[in-house]
Amino acid sequence: MELGIRGRQAIVCAASKGLGRGCAEALAAEGVDLVINARGAEALEATAEAIRGRHGVAVTAVAADITSEDGRGQVLAACREVDILVTNAGGPPPGLWSDWSRDDFIKAIDANMLTPIALMQAVLPGMIARGWGRVVNITSQSVKAPVAALGLSNTARAGLTGFVAGTSRQVASKGVIINNLLPGIHATARADALDEAVVAAQGIDLAAARAQRAAGIPAGRYGTPEEFGAACAFLCSQHAGFIVGQNWLLDGGAMNSTL
Ligand code: NAP
């Protein structure tokens, strides 16, 4: 299927690895020029070079912390006209409800709620003026089904979801489409870190921890960044103009519900 976005310009945040990179690769495969971001310059440059080589699109790499105002400014300044925005950042650490201080909550809310909101506030006026735009926020399965140990994530992402629910309906008539993608367990460095937490908590080896988590997924395996990126590219496509304010759960069937 031709997605109809060749020549568009996209910002993909937190994209040197994992799900962000999967989205960047899938957009590049459709001919979209990219600004990609992560904090670590070396891995980011290597990813940018790999994407340029594979897809022949322009890729600008901006090494910066997207959760800081300065970092967001650098990323936004690198893209002349933002047609597509994919928001993403690292997830908060796991823990117990009683562990977290006000500062911990502020940090998580800053990274996983206020950062994507600030980015949307920055790009929406231009998208509205040009009559076309796509925003995909990478959130988490924890929005629909809480992951008990990820209370900081559950909290911050619920706030972002509420903002998107209202805002997406305010801008849809202008050709600007905002949706969220909710990853379940995907094979990335983040999943490795959560597997290691299971190893530490249960005293089992890594393979056993992975098998245990995969057994809870009807698909019988972790998702891949490539599958995730393909869903993102579709939501950024010409065909997604009637999909507004949705929360697509990509979890291999892990959340047991009828609707
Ligand atoms: P990942 O493989 O660890 O990759 C994270 C990427 O984000 C890296 O490129 C990292 O590069 C960049 N990054 C992290 N913090 C950043 C910041 N402050 N500013 C700019 N870039 C930053 O993680 P992932 O699995 O792709 O996860 C992406 C998001 O999905 C996270 O919020 C995670 O919580 C959520 N999620 C993932 C899963 C899963 O199973 N993988 C499930 C549910 C939710 P640098 O470190 O160099 O900055």
Side-chain angles (χ1 to χ4, degrees):
M1 180 189 282
E2 170 63 53
L3 296 191
I5 48 177
R6 188 163 301 279
R8 296 277 185 192
Q9 299 179 57
I11 289 176
V12 186
C13 305
S16 65
K17 293 189 286 187
L19 303 179
R21 179 173 181 166
C23 296
E25 296 263 6
L27 289 170
E30 295 300 320
V32 174
D33 293 328
L34 301 174
V35 172
I36 61 170
N37 151 262
R39 291 163 303 180
E42 203 175 319
L44 183 67
E45 283 298 344
T47 296
E49 197 47 45
I51 294 176
R52 282 183 208 111
R54 200 169 298 133
H55 304 293
V57 295
V59 185
T60 305
V62 181
D65 184 341
I66 199 66
T67 68
S68 72
E69 203 173 332
D70 177 58
R72 286 191 291 278
Q74 289 181 50
V75 170
L76 290 164
C79 193
R80 199 169 30 85
E81 281 186 357
V82 186
D83 301 309
I84 294 169
L85 168 69
V86 180
T87 76
N88 187 26
L96 190 62
W97 59 271
S98 50
D99 292 343
W100 300 308
S101 66
R102 176 181 165 78
D103 283 350
D104 295 321
F105 280 103
I106 297 291
K107 205 170 158 204
I109 288 169
D110 238 342
N112 299 114
M113 175 183 163
L114 297 180
T115 288
I117 288 175
L119 288 165
M120 282 186 268
Q121 287 176 321
V123 304
L124 288 179
M127 290 177 173
I128 290 168
R130 293 188 298 278
W132 198 93
R134 298 286 185 266
V135 179
V136 172
N137 300 292
I138 299 179
T139 68
S140 174
Q141 63 183 350
S142 68
V143 170
K144 281 194 191 262
V147 180
L150 294 178
L152 292 173
S153 172
N154 299 340
T155 304
R157 297 189 201 275
L160 173 61
T161 306
F163 176 83
V164 167
T167 304
S168 60
R169 288 163 170 89
Q170 289 176 312
V171 299
S173 68
K174 319 287 182 199
V176 180
I177 298 299
I178 312 177
N179 289 289
N180 301 321
L181 278 180
L182 284 53
I185 302 175
H186 283 70
T188 68
R190 168 78 170 169
D192 290 345
L194 296 175
D195 290 341
E196 293 288 358
V198 174
V199 168
Q202 299 184 17
I204 55 178
D205 66 22
L206 194 57
R210 284 190 182 138
Q212 183 179 304
R213 292 218 296 155
I217 305 172
R221 61 174 178 85
Y222 291 7
T224 69
E226 292 76 18
E227 291 168 314
F228 192 87
C232 176
F234 183 79
L235 282 180
C236 295
S237 76
Q238 290 290 11
H239 311 297
F242 208 53
I243 306 173
V244 174
Q246 297 303 298
N247 291 279
W248 280 13
L249 182 61
L250 306 185
D251 72 343
M255 192 181 97
N256 193 35
S257 71
T258 303
L259 288 176

